[in-house]
Amino acid sequence: MQPSDPDRGPRASGFPAGVTVKIEYHGQDAVVVVAGELDVLTAPKLDEQISIALETEPPLLVIDLTDVTFLGSAGMTSLVTAHRMAGTATTVRIVASGRTTARAMQIVGLDQQLPIYATLGDAVSADR
């Protein structure tokens, strides 16, 4: 049995240490910035922050996965759920590039369901 790693255990918030999620506002638009591992243990934190961001009914919600180091199926489900929760009031865009995020979503076909951009700047400025 290996000793537990204090950096991987639950934090006081009740969420594992493997992910950080924060909301930034750019005018009326909301950007949910995710860093770390997005899996079955950490996806609830993303879901919570997306729900908070959508409460303000921003015209645009960008989920920035630039600093995500692992994207599991639970994280992908969170992205689809965000798109559905937004309805017609909010446009949802995803920032993802590289094998960890964009390639993983391409493999399962999410790039056909969700608008994916390589950079935050591209996602914010598209169609404006």
Side-chain angles (χ1 to χ4, degrees):
M1 181 179 210
Q2 298 211 306
S4 63
D5 182 350
D7 292 330
R8 305 255 322 152
R11 294 192 190 260
S13 67
F15 291 104
V19 71
T20 58
V21 184
K22 64 181 179 178
I23 303 170
E24 298 175 351
Y25 290 93
H26 299 247
Q28 292 183 332
D29 300 334
V31 178
V32 176
V33 180
V34 188
E37 299 175 3
L38 197 48
D39 57 24
V40 70
L41 295 175
T42 59
K45 185 168 186 176
L46 174 60
D47 296 339
E48 176 185 276
Q49 295 302 303
I50 288 170
S51 293
I52 291 168
L54 287 174
E55 286 176 2
T56 64
E57 296 185 2
L60 176 64
L61 171 66
V62 177
I63 303 170
D64 186 352
L65 305 178
T66 301
D67 293 324
V68 167
T69 57
F70 175 81
L71 179 60
S73 61
M76 292 185 209
T77 299
S78 293
L79 301 176
V80 172
T81 301
H83 184 71
R84 289 182 182 150
M85 286 175 50
T88 58
T90 301
T91 299
V92 176
R93 297 180 181 151
I94 311 298
V95 177
S97 61
R99 295 185 66 154
T100 301
T101 53
R103 181 70 179 133
M105 288 188 282
Q106 288 172 344
I107 289 169
V108 299
L110 284 183
D111 61 325
Q112 302 300 311
Q113 296 179 35
L114 302 171
I116 300 173
Y117 296 84
T119 70
L120 178 58
D122 290 345
V124 170
S125 65
D127 301 328
R128 290 195 167 188

